[in-house]
Amino acid sequence: MKLITPRAHGYLDYLTVVVFLAAPSLLGFDGLPARLAWTLAAVHLTMTLATNFPLGLFRRLPFSVHGWIERIVGPTLLVVAFLPGFYSVGPAFLFFAGMGLVIVAVGWLTDYADAPEPRLVQNP
């Protein structure tokens, strides 16, 4: 059973951008972990704005592709958390491992099939 609708997923995506932006300052990590968090915020914002779902602005990226990208990113963040520059920085390790788990869970719970198919031809 998929509990998260495309609209709810959109709200979670924008919240994720804010969390990635704020985490380095709030949790007190810098360097490579901070730069990765800020980069992921920009990438996630771009992907969300481009996704064809209720809160997307440009709606060019199929919601199902958005889902597959997140299915890759979640586990990747879990791996990143265990890299030396992250694992040795307690707050960075907890943040990236936690975000990886959250993204995996959201992926399992989202109904990616519920969004409309992109329109290839615009009506005049």
Side-chain angles (χ1 to χ4, degrees), residues 1-23:
M1 179 174 185
K2 303 292 185 171
L3 302 174
I4 300 175
T5 65
R7 178 173 297 281
H9 188 102
Y11 289 121
L12 292 172
D13 277 344
Y14 289 112
L15 176 61
T16 298
V17 171
V18 171
V19 169
F20 274 119
L21 282 175

Side-chain angles (χ1 to χ4, degrees), residues 6 17 20 29 36 40 42 50 78 86-87 90 93 103-104 106 108 116 121-123:
V17 171
F20 274 119
F29 59 85
L36 180 59
L40 287 171
L78 288 168
F86 295 77
Y87 184 74
F93 167 76
I103 291 171
V104 166
V106 168
W108 282 338
V121 177
Q122 299 292 330
N123 289 334

Side-chain angles (χ1 to χ4, degrees), residues 32-113:
L32 180 60
R35 288 192 303 275
L36 180 59
W38 296 325
T39 300
L40 287 171
V43 169
H44 206 84
L45 177 61
T46 302
M47 183 174 77
T48 301
L49 290 171
T51 297
N52 184 31
F53 70 155
L55 296 180
L57 182 62
F58 305 109
R59 299 185 181 190
R60 299 286 187 246
L61 181 69
F63 191 42
S64 59
V65 173
H66 177 114
W68 280 108
I69 292 169
E70 289 181 344
R71 286 180 184 107
I72 294 167
V73 169
T76 301
L77 290 179
L78 288 168
V79 171
V80 165
F82 286 93
L83 295 175
F86 295 77
Y87 184 74
S88 62
V89 180
F93 167 76
L94 292 174
F95 174 71
F96 285 98
M99 287 303 291
L101 290 172
V102 167
I103 291 171
V104 166
V106 168
W108 282 338
L109 296 172
T110 296
D111 186 0
Y112 290 104

